[in-house]
Amino acid sequence: MNIHEYQTKELLKGYGVPVPGGRVAHNVDNAATVAEELGGERWVVKAQIHAGGRGKGGGVKVASSLDEVRQFTDQLIGSHLVTPQTGAGGRLVQRVLVEQACDINKEYYLGLVIDRGSQRVTVIASASGGMDIEEVARATPEKVVRETVDPAVGLMAFQCRKIAANIGLKGKQIHAATKLMRALYRCFRDQDALMAEINPLAEVNGGQLMALDAKMSFDGNALYRLPAITELRDFDEEDPKEVEATGHGLNYIALDGNVGCIVNGAGLAMATMDAISFHQGKPANFLDVGGGASPEKVGNAFRIVLADPNVKIILVNIFAGINRCDWIAEGLIKAMQDQQIGVPIVVRLAGTNVEKGAQMLAASGLDFIMADNLDDAATKVMATLGGQGS
Ligand code: ADP
Ligand code: MG
């Protein structure tokens, strides 16, 4: 789960990471009030969307008067900001962060990720931070410093000093960077984060280090024990189909293929996607309807899968253990009767009450393409798609 920059900064501030003074604003008057209360002569108005590259897309604007704060807020809120990370459609901006503008001497990069190779939290830092860090990592990987954290002891001060020295910090800054990195690590660990990124970590007027941008994402499976983080969730930034699926107790993840998948069990859903890919197809989604898939759940699954206009065929793959094939069949028949399903449906049923389920589907007179096993199902999906000329 991702959160906005202003939320990340608020969170990190609580752990002792220095951030510029600032607050979120939802409209022009709001923004002007925030700027006035912050004081000073220059402010930065920053579009709050769950995507980076805002600087390059015109989503970060420096204002030298309250009028400009108003003007920039008016331009940003309600617009679709296109950045190198949003895709051509951009993202609707619904709020801005108004914060003090800092005079920047130098921009560094600091990030924490979970390295799957070592299975440990890893600190990544670079002297060349700012808006082109992706290019730095690609063209000059030697400019990126890494340090692995031993979970038994956490991020040690000596490791932080080493990173700080390796990115060219000196004297007092090394001490400040050590405090900052350890605060960031504490937040990362306490809040079950998957990623934290401060880019730029800036050296500002007077040599102080400050997080000018901050981004964090959290483990969705840990949200049950993170009530404060859960509250920061912004549903407007998520795929509406995924949000609806969560509400129905379905586990849905949108993908970019054309074969809709309705499957029970996460492992079987993965295997189904593999089988489709093996036959040169592309799944449109991952969907786990769970153990006790009632007819209503199956109906909801159809609606969500069909909300994706790319879906040209649906593969229903059920291995009923806790589930019952006759329930699934009831759900399938009802969905076909209630909804406008304009695409072919391939069904593979196995397990509890499979004969009864198959009989119900056959007796319904509806047009299901029955498959004997997963491989047969994937083959029939591709043959049917081929027959449609897509
Ligand atoms: P993004 O990563 O989405 O492009 P950032 O928050 O990193 O957005 O902002 C882009 C650039 O704008 C930064 O690299 C920095 O140079 C500048 N910037 C951001 N916040 C401030 C600030 N408070 N004061 C001065 N410059 C800023
Ligand atoms: Mg940034």
Side-chain angles (χ1 to χ4, degrees):
M1 184 196 114
N2 297 321
I3 61 174
H4 288 290
E5 175 196 6
Y6 74 93
Q7 297 167 324
T8 311
K9 283 180 165 166
E10 204 50 46
L11 181 69
L12 289 178
K13 194 170 142 192
Y15 280 85
V17 174
V19 297
R23 277 211 313 278
V24 66
H26 295 85
N27 58 48
V28 171
D29 289 340
N30 226 201
T33 311
V34 171
E36 222 172 340
E37 286 176 10
L38 287 171
E41 283 163 2
R42 289 191 316 132
W43 303 269
V44 186
V45 181
K46 309 178 79 175
Q48 299 297 290
I49 54 171
H50 284 189
R54 296 164 303 164
K56 287 187 176 152
V60 177
K61 296 182 187 290
V62 181
S64 308
S65 67
L66 291 178
D67 268 350
E68 275 188 355
V69 169
R70 288 176 168 275
Q71 187 189 324
F72 294 146
T73 306
D74 193 40
Q75 280 171 18
L76 288 173
I77 291 185
S79 73
H80 280 86
L81 183 64
V82 179
T83 83
Q85 296 181 13
T86 58
R91 288 277 181 86
L92 176 65
V93 181
Q94 294 185 304
R95 52 199 117 166
V96 293
L97 168 64
V98 180
E99 71 179 11
Q100 289 163 335
C102 306
D103 292 324
I104 304 170
N105 298 335
K106 184 161 171 49
E107 299 193 332
Y108 301 88
Y109 176 92
L110 176 64
L112 290 182
V113 290
I114 296 172
D115 173 32
R116 288 175 193 271
S118 61
Q119 303 183 355
R120 290 184 170 189
V121 176
T122 300
V123 184
I124 301 173
S126 176
S128 315
M131 295 199 273
D132 289 311
I133 185 65
E134 287 84 0
E135 184 53 28
V136 172
R138 205 187 55 76
T140 48
E142 69 279 2
K143 289 193 177 162
V144 178
V145 178
R146 285 188 175 75
E147 196 69 31
T148 302
V149 181
D150 181 340
V153 289
L155 179 61
M156 304 287 280
F158 81 88
Q159 294 182 294
C160 300
R161 288 197 293 271
K162 189 166 138 197
I163 298 164
N166 279 340
I167 59 171
L169 294 172
K170 302 240 156 29
K172 277 188 186 154
Q173 281 179 340
I174 294 188
H175 179 67
T178 300
K179 264 179 79 175
L180 190 153
M181 285 182 219
R182 297 187 79 189
L184 182 65
Y185 176 75
R186 272 200 306 282
C187 178
F188 189 96
R189 183 201 56 197
D190 290 0
Q191 307 295 340
D192 293 308
L194 296 176
M195 185 278 296
E197 186 181 74
I198 298 182
N199 185 35
L201 170 67
E203 178 192 311
V204 298
N205 10 350
Q208 209 199 335
L209 291 176
M210 219 173 235
L212 289 199
D213 187 12
K215 191 175 184 174
M216 276 181 95
S217 69
F218 304 88
D219 186 347
N221 294 316
L223 291 179
Y224 73 94
R225 64 181 187 190
L226 302 171
I229 300 293
T230 307
E231 277 196 12
L232 304 179
R233 189 163 177 185
D234 182 355
F235 289 105
D236 289 340
E237 292 281 341
E238 297 182 23
D239 185 319
K241 298 193 293 300
E242 292 182 12
V243 174
E244 190 189 347
T246 312
H248 294 305
L250 300 166
N251 208 340
Y252 173 93
I253 293 164
L255 300 166
D256 55 8
N258 59 3
V259 183
C261 301
I262 296 179
V263 188
N264 72 317
L268 190 61
M270 297 292 283
T272 306
M273 288 164 37
D274 281 349
I276 293 167
S277 303
F278 185 74
H279 286 267
Q280 264 80 54
K282 282 190 96 182
N285 64 276
F286 167 98
L287 193 155
D288 169 15
V289 293
S294 61
E296 292 84 65
K297 256 193 170 177
V298 174
N300 288 329
F302 266 95
R303 265 193 307 102
I304 290 162
V305 169
L306 284 168
D308 176 352
N310 293 329
V311 170
K312 297 282 179 288
I313 189 163
I314 294 179
L315 170 52
V316 179
N317 185 17
I318 303 293
F319 189 96
I322 306 168
N323 239 319
R324 287 170 25 194
C325 289
D326 53 322
W327 266 5
I328 298 288
E330 191 185 327
L332 283 174
I333 294 164
K334 195 158 183 321
M336 285 285 261
Q337 288 164 346
D338 295 353
Q339 300 179 39
Q340 293 276 333
I341 299 181
V343 300
I345 300 179
V346 177
V347 184
R348 181 259 179 157
L349 295 178
T352 312
N353 292 358
V354 62
E355 291 83 9
K356 192 171 170 199
Q359 273 162 19
M360 286 167 70
L361 292 184
S364 71
L366 296 164
D367 207 2
F368 296 107
I369 302 168
M370 299 305 292
D372 294 332
N373 54 51
L374 182 46
D375 193 61
D376 184 37
T379 306
K380 284 180 170 153
V381 163
M382 296 317 290
T384 312
L385 271 181
Q388 289 179 337
S390 50

